[in-house]
Amino acid sequence: MRMICIVSVAIAALTLGSGEPTVAEPRTLYKPENLAIAHENIQKHAWARNLLEGYKRRVAFAMKQDRQFFEEIVPDLTPWVGYGQVCPRCVGEKCSMGETGVFRWSIEHPDQLVCKYCGAVYPDPEYPETGSMTAPKMGQTFTFYLTEEERAHPEDTSGKYAYRWASWPIHVSFSGQIRLRKASWAASQVLPMAKVYALTGEVKYAEHCAWILDRIARAYPGWLYHSYNGTYADVPPGEAAAEMGRHPRAGKFPMDAIITAFPHLRDTNKDGFGELNVGFWGAGRLTAGVGGEGGFLLNCTVAYDLIRDAKYEDGTRVLTEEMEQHIVNDLILAGCADLENYPDINNKCGPGRALSGAVGILFDRPAGVRRALDGFSTLLERSFHFDGFCKESPSYSNMHLGLMRNIPDILLGYSDPKGYEPDEGPALSDLNPYQDLQRYRLALLSMVKMLGPDLKYPVIGDTHSGAGISAIYAEILADHYGQQYAGLLESVQNAPLAEQGSEYALWHRPPGLRAEAAHDLPLRSEYFPGWQVAVLRNGHPRGRNAFYFNGYAMHGHRHYDTLGIIYFALGKEMASDRGYIWDDPRNAWTKGTYSHNLVTVDGKSQVSKDRHSTLELFAIGPEVEVIQASANAYEQCSQYRRTCALVQLPNDNSYAVDFFRVTGGDLHHYCFNSNGDEFELHGLDLQPQDGKISWMENLRVAQPAETWRATWRNEGVNIDLWMPTDIDRLIVTDAPGWRSYKGDQLHAPPITEILAERAGEALSSAFAAVMSPYQGNQPPIASVQQVAGEPDDGTALAVVVEMQGRTDYIMSALDDEPHRYGPVELTGRFGFASLDAHGNLARAYLLEGTRLACGAKSIEFEEARIVREVAGIEGRTIKLVQPLPPDAELAGVWFLAGGTGYEIESAAGKTITVREYPVQPCEEVVIPRSCWISEVN
């Protein structure tokens, strides 16, 4: 294999460095070993050669330009913000108010923007930029378009007549957007150019990269800090960053230092100072926010690292001393100093922490390395549960992992300079974040384990509809955690490793990595003990069904859906969720409890403060899967509890049973919605109803006297909702069908939602429902009845599901007393009994009980549960004070501990080992007794 020699040369110490000479060898994101891997992959694999050619295609236009082109394309005037820049010609008709990404821009036509919806081209004399604001101290003036209403009311600067983004008025600036696009395009060229140079040695790529870096570095000191609501700080940008660090989160500026077209957006505090909107969270010199700014600066730093040794044929360095001083001092170190004023740990902090690590390594500043390492470890600790799932949502997990991804690669193999003595802790030697922080491995796995049958993320909480699987997580696992993940990677990317690879694979995948055996996606019915979300997969992990039960309460974000459900059935999302509409007024609907499949109390959304759930049951039987949890979702409710069971049917079908008990409040609405454009309510006459309920329209009302059934149809799949519960009235509504804030969803047709209503003072409700998906015209379920347990004290209830050749009893109780449900006796918290056409018991399941009997057949235990005191915990192992029963078969059983649940991998004597996840502190374990019997061959 031919290797391109990397020449080591010494350069003069730089102004803000450590004083030691800097050795020009790649040391940051890509190191000599990464170059060796990439070269060998290119030699062996067509996919790797295609990636190299892709780098060249990406910079082909720039490579045809001379240096003067870049001098002109990179603006001296600070760019405008990117958020809320809508098309005045079609806003509200084709593009959404506040939408981002409306305009197309290309380097071939750098001085114009084109609306992707209506094709309007800007600048346009019909939409002149007659508005302006000036930062006098820094000598910069910004122009923007004023709406017709703003021009008609020049005295009103409140923003009443302006366009809006999130909660703020916003101005569209075509010239400012063009500046932003030009600068961003130039910045996007430097890293692929540097990579081509590093992989080929073609010095022309290093030369062009150096030109762009130098030009950006000379413009960067003049780019003002500005926030994504259009406010600018009229002070030198380094001072603005320092001020936001001194007084988080947005600084205390003189009032006239915050420049805005809307004076109230100065965000004055009680001390009379001006604030820069939300500070680093939404502010940068080039980009809006610390995440984007950190990523831009990191790319420039890595590009510089790759080309700083480059020489022309005559031995002259590509980077002159003056160019290098600009790039290092005015761009890399100045930008890093800015962002090191930001101490917060959140989903945007990753790139800034990575930048500190890269700069620390490149310029021998160990404190920067520690800032990166601390950021990475603290981010994992604070933002991810112990099971690896993000504390926000699947979409935000994707954001967290994407923005932190460079940190472990930058730090891998790092050792402190010889003789360095840190202020705290030991010196770092041959650092390996992959092995030192096991939560990272679980976080990577979580992105695969949650997937639905469509290989998309469940739209739980703030998750964008349609967000799906990325091979990068399996790639990192395979490249850094061992060959056992190679088969998983092949499964995720749906191609052999020799035939397909990503950019990450080019630099990190061992060229000879092979999958020793097929490895399916790690999908299974499971309760995630930290995230507190369950997924029931109907016995077929890669089948067409997945029932999600959301026990997690979103903290810091927007959805009120604790105990909500999503039901994928026969490959379609049938019990649906709208997902995340981002910072858009329509989010007022999608975040609320009414938009989810839940019980809404008193017409209000669930409480936001300290809301949480408590797992009470979780079990996976051969043909039935069960979860039960309660939540403190409403202050007026003493009970808010949901019990769900997924029952297997032939041909990879299923049905779901839902018991929802609510005590408290005066108005209960059991809400259910489904995707699809056809709805039928069987045997009931709907009458129009005046009024509107929380975004819902076209209200129609019926008053069922007995069990009722509604059917939704969605692309060849039907779902019946059966409800045998006594209700006061059934409301059928048109609910918003949006699944995105994008303009293509602006006029999305409504979906049909039902509200089963019960009203009364100090109300107590026990809703029972059955959800039955199917294809074709013949429903698998013929009838559903509700049966109260005897004695009928409200603690026990059941549904009876009639199908051809079988009758199923699904029973739920809140006590340990015996109850009779028709021919079935149950002493336990959950029971399932399936009778054949002759009334004989064919299948049965008892969970956390002592007896289930029908006719001459029964399941019996001496105790409903095994309770043991915990003596100690180490990783996945629990030591008990007393031994377990010697005859108990506990492998695969889920137990409760510390308010959550774990699956037993093995158990004997005084020891329990749980599957996969570290056990959290707890005082006792509660192991439910369970048994399945079947007379069916």
Side-chain angles (χ1 to χ4, degrees):
M1 179 182 68
R2 186 177 73 86
M3 295 279 298
I4 294 177
C5 179
I6 305 218
V7 181
S8 294
V9 297
I11 65 172
L14 299 169
T15 304
L16 297 182
S18 65
E20 296 295 322
T22 303
V23 177
E25 182 179 80
R27 304 173 64 191
T28 58
L29 186 60
Y30 304 108
K31 302 173 179 69
E33 53 266 35
N34 299 113
L35 292 175
I37 289 172
H39 281 121
E40 191 171 350
N41 275 324
I42 289 169
Q43 186 179 61
K44 286 188 173 183
H45 302 303
W47 61 260
R49 293 189 290 275
N50 290 338
L51 285 167
L52 175 57
E53 292 305 310
Y55 291 150
K56 292 180 178 180
R57 287 192 298 272
R58 184 173 171 184
V59 300
F61 181 91
M63 290 301 299
K64 296 175 183 178
Q65 311 308 315
D66 59 16
R67 187 170 185 176
Q68 186 59 34
F69 176 85
F70 302 110
E71 292 294 315
E72 296 172 0
I73 204 72
V74 176
D76 289 310
L77 182 61
T78 306
W80 195 248
V81 296
Y83 289 89
Q85 301 295 289
V86 295
C87 172
R89 192 179 294 275
C90 72
V91 63
E93 296 179 2
K94 294 184 177 180
C95 70
S96 297
M97 180 70 73
E99 184 175 350
T100 297
V102 168
F103 295 116
R104 294 192 179 100
W105 176 91
S106 70
I107 189 59
E108 289 83 4
H109 304 283
D111 294 312
Q112 67 179 32
L113 300 169
V114 179
C115 174
K116 69 180 182 181
Y117 293 114
C118 71
V121 179
Y122 300 96
D124 183 336
E126 291 188 29
Y127 301 93
E129 294 189 354
T130 56
S132 69
M133 61 185 189
T134 298
K137 182 176 181 180
M138 299 303 293
Q140 298 192 28
T141 297
F142 311 101
T143 60
F144 43 80
Y145 170 72
L146 296 173
T147 67
E148 291 184 12
E149 292 83 359
E150 285 181 294
R151 294 196 299 272
H153 299 86
E155 75 291 345
D156 191 331
T157 59
S158 67
K160 175 182 178 181
Y161 301 105
Y163 297 135
R164 302 195 72 80
W165 171 69
S167 61
W168 296 295
I170 200 82
H171 279 134
V172 176
S173 173
F174 310 115
S175 60
Q177 273 287 293
I178 288 170
R179 291 196 307 276
L180 176 62
R181 299 300 184 92
K182 287 179 176 180
S184 299
W185 173 84
S188 74
Q189 300 296 290
V190 296
L191 192 51
M193 285 178 174
K195 290 175 179 177
V196 174
Y197 165 72
L199 294 173
T200 68
E202 295 182 55
V203 73
K204 63 182 180 179
Y205 288 95
E207 177 186 60
H208 278 64
C209 178
W211 290 348
I212 300 175
L213 285 173
D214 178 57
R215 176 65 187 109
I216 292 174
R218 287 183 283 112
Y220 197 66
W223 288 349
L224 307 183
Y225 262 89
H226 57 290
S227 189
Y228 52 22
N229 72 342
T231 51
Y232 285 70
D234 186 19
V235 297
E239 294 181 16
E243 176 58 27
M244 290 186 287
R246 278 191 297 268
H247 296 103
R249 72 177 174 171
K252 291 183 177 181
F253 295 90
M255 191 68 67
D256 61 359
I258 301 300
I259 307 304
T260 173
F262 309 107
H264 70 284
L265 294 186
R266 289 189 175 93
D267 289 339
T268 57
N269 57 36
K270 63 182 180 181
D271 297 323
F273 292 98
E275 297 179 338
L276 186 57
N277 189 234
V278 292
F280 279 111
W281 182 261
R285 299 200 206 188
L286 172 62
T287 70
V290 67
E293 196 77 3
F296 149 66
L297 290 166
L298 179 63
N299 286 345
C300 291
T301 302
V302 175
Y304 163 74
D305 184 31
L306 290 172
I307 70 160
R308 61 198 170 95
D309 68 316
K311 293 182 178 180
Y312 295 109
E313 289 185 2
D314 62 3
T316 304
R317 293 186 67 223
V318 169
L319 287 171
T320 67
E321 183 176 345
E322 181 182 6
M323 293 168 70
E324 193 155 35
Q325 291 287 339
H326 284 308
I327 294 167
V328 172
N329 294 323
D330 298 335
L331 178 61
I332 295 173
L333 294 181
C336 184
D338 282 359
L339 299 191
E340 287 186 348
N341 287 291
Y342 187 64
D344 292 0
I345 298 295
N346 51 49
N347 58 44
K348 292 189 178 183
C349 79
R353 296 287 175 146
L355 176 65
S356 289
V359 169
I361 291 171
L362 195 54
F363 302 109
D364 292 331
R365 294 164 43 161
V369 175
R370 280 162 173 76
R371 186 173 189 272
L373 181 61
D374 176 70
F376 186 60
S377 59
T378 306
L379 189 62
L380 286 170
E381 182 70 26
R382 292 185 185 176
S383 298
F384 290 81
H385 296 291
F386 64 88
D387 58 4
F389 284 84
C390 182
K391 292 182 180 180
E392 295 190 60
S393 69
S395 277
Y396 275 85
S397 183
N398 192 52
M399 181 178 183
H400 275 90
L401 291 171
L403 292 180
M404 72 164 69
R405 194 178 78 204
N406 290 322
I407 299 177
D409 289 326
I410 289 170
L411 301 184
L412 186 63
Y414 170 81
S415 296
D416 280 330
K418 187 176 181 180
Y420 174 75
E421 295 184 3
D423 294 336
E424 296 181 7
L428 300 176
S429 178
D430 197 20
L431 197 60
N432 189 339
Y434 290 101
Q435 298 306 317
D436 296 340
L437 300 169
Q438 284 297 310
R439 189 171 296 193
Y440 188 48
R441 179 184 63 85
L442 291 175
L444 296 167
L445 277 171
S446 77
M447 301 304 292
V448 183
K449 294 170 72 173
M450 69 174 77
L451 294 171
D454 58 353
L455 299 185
K456 306 290 185 183
Y457 301 133
V459 286
I460 292 174
D462 292 354
T463 299
H464 301 277
S465 173
I469 190 170
S470 171
I472 185 60
Y473 306 112
E475 183 72 61
I476 297 172
L477 287 164
D479 296 350
H480 296 285
Y481 290 99
Q483 191 172 16
Q484 66 266 31
Y485 293 108
L488 171 63
L489 175 57
E490 283 197 338
S491 181
V492 171
Q493 69 178 21
N494 197 30
L497 301 187
E499 295 178 9
Q500 185 169 313
S502 63
E503 183 187 29
Y504 192 90
L506 174 66
W507 300 93
H508 297 276
R509 184 192 293 175
L513 183 67
R514 295 290 182 270
E516 294 180 350
H519 192 301
D520 209 347
L521 297 178
L523 304 179
R524 57 196 299 271
S525 295
E526 187 169 4
Y527 179 80
F528 303 113
W531 194 26
Q532 295 184 310
V533 170
V535 55
L536 310 178
R537 298 191 185 272
N538 198 41
H540 303 286
R542 287 300 305 273
R544 298 183 293 169
N545 301 270
F547 186 94
Y548 290 91
F549 184 105
N550 177 28
Y552 181 57
M554 301 296 296
H555 297 295
H557 272 273
R558 298 173 173 82
H559 281 231
Y560 302 101
D561 61 340
T562 301
L563 304 193
I565 61 169
I566 301 170
Y567 189 7
F568 277 89
L570 302 173
K572 298 292 182 183
E573 182 192 8
M574 298 304 292
S576 62
D577 194 293
R578 299 296 89 199
Y580 185 27
I581 309 295
W582 200 48
D583 297 307
D584 183 283
R586 287 172 289 176
N587 195 45
W589 161 250
T590 58
K591 74 177 181 179
T593 301
Y594 264 128
S595 73
H596 301 285
N597 297 303
L598 280 165
V599 172
T600 301
V601 179
D602 294 336
K604 306 292 184 182
S605 286
Q606 295 177 351
V607 298
S608 59
K609 185 178 180 181
D610 300 325
R611 186 173 84 253
H612 65 273
S613 71
T614 300
L615 182 67
E616 297 177 345
L617 287 174
F618 186 76
I620 306 299
E623 295 183 26
V624 61
E625 304 172 11
V626 185
I627 182 169
Q628 177 176 296
S630 59
N632 61 338
Y634 287 93
E635 293 178 350
Q636 65 269 44
C637 291
S638 60
Q639 176 179 226
Y640 193 80
R641 174 178 281 109
R642 191 168 209 170
T643 309
C644 293
L646 189 67
V647 180
Q648 290 183 26
L649 292 178
N651 301 317
D652 196 21
N653 201 359
S654 61
Y655 70 86
V657 177
D658 184 21
F659 300 113
F660 212 133
R661 299 171 169 97
V662 182
T663 303
D666 300 326
L667 181 67
H668 296 170
H669 283 135
Y670 179 99
C671 307
F672 184 87
N673 68 73
S674 176
N675 296 316
D677 55 5
E678 293 184 55
F679 173 80
E680 182 179 1
L681 184 62
H682 302 271
L684 290 177
D685 183 24
L686 285 171
Q687 298 298 320
Q689 176 78 23
D690 292 335
K692 180 178 177 181
I693 301 177
S694 182
W695 294 77
M696 292 179 277
E697 298 178 332
N698 188 24
L699 272 61
R700 293 145 286 163
V701 174
Q703 293 180 315
E706 53 188 17
T707 298
W708 53 270
R709 175 170 68 105
T711 303
W712 288 259
R713 296 180 178 87
N714 179 24
E715 297 181 349
V717 178
N718 310 314
I719 189 166
D720 285 349
L721 179 73
W722 296 81
M723 182 167 282
T725 303
D726 289 336
I727 61 174
D728 296 326
R729 63 175 184 166
L730 174 65
I731 306 171
V732 178
T733 77
D734 290 347
W738 318 304
R739 305 204 78 170
S740 164
Y741 72 100
K742 299 290 188 181
D744 59 8
Q745 288 283 296
L746 188 60
H747 305 294
I751 59 173
T752 301
E753 178 165 341
I754 63 94
L755 289 77
E757 181 178 281
R758 299 189 75 245
E761 188 175 349
L763 191 61
S764 183
S765 297
F767 293 99
V770 174
M771 305 161 202
S772 173
Y774 58 97
Q775 293 173 302
N777 297 320
Q778 187 61 44
I781 293 177
S783 70
V784 173
Q785 300 176 36
Q786 182 169 331
V787 179
E790 300 175 6
D792 184 8
D793 58 2
T795 62
L797 64 155
V799 293
V800 183
V801 178
E802 295 279 357
M803 292 172 284
Q804 184 175 4
R806 63 186 275 188
T807 301
D808 292 351
Y809 287 76
I810 302 91
M811 300 157 283
S812 170
L814 303 179
D815 59 20
D816 294 327
E817 300 302 315
H819 298 278
R820 173 172 286 276
Y821 310 85
V824 183
E825 297 178 34
L826 174 68
T827 304
R829 298 304 175 97
F830 180 86
F832 170 80
S834 184
L835 282 58
D836 63 20
H838 304 289
N840 299 316
L841 185 65
R843 305 171 184 84
Y845 183 66
L846 172 62
L847 175 62
E848 196 164 350
T850 55
R851 177 177 167 81
L852 186 153
C854 182
K857 298 176 183 177
S858 66
I859 303 171
E860 298 191 26
F861 289 107
E862 292 185 0
E863 56 185 356
R865 60 193 68 84
I866 302 167
V867 181
R868 293 291 185 270
E869 184 180 351
V870 174
I873 297 170
E874 184 176 345
R876 296 188 294 116
T877 299
I878 302 174
K879 297 294 185 181
L880 304 175
V881 173
Q882 295 178 307
L884 296 165
D887 60 342
E889 297 179 3
L890 299 178
V893 172
W894 291 78
F895 68 93
L896 302 180
T900 189
Y902 304 88
E903 183 183 7
I904 296 176
E905 182 177 272
S906 62
K910 296 182 179 181
T911 300
I912 297 175
T913 299
V914 310
R915 186 180 184 272
E916 195 152 14
Y917 305 118
V919 180
Q920 299 306 287
C922 57
E923 296 181 355
E924 69 174 17
V925 300
V926 179
I927 307 171
R929 302 309 301 262
S930 63
C931 182
W932 168 268
I933 61 172
S934 176
E935 299 295 326
V936 179
N937 294 326

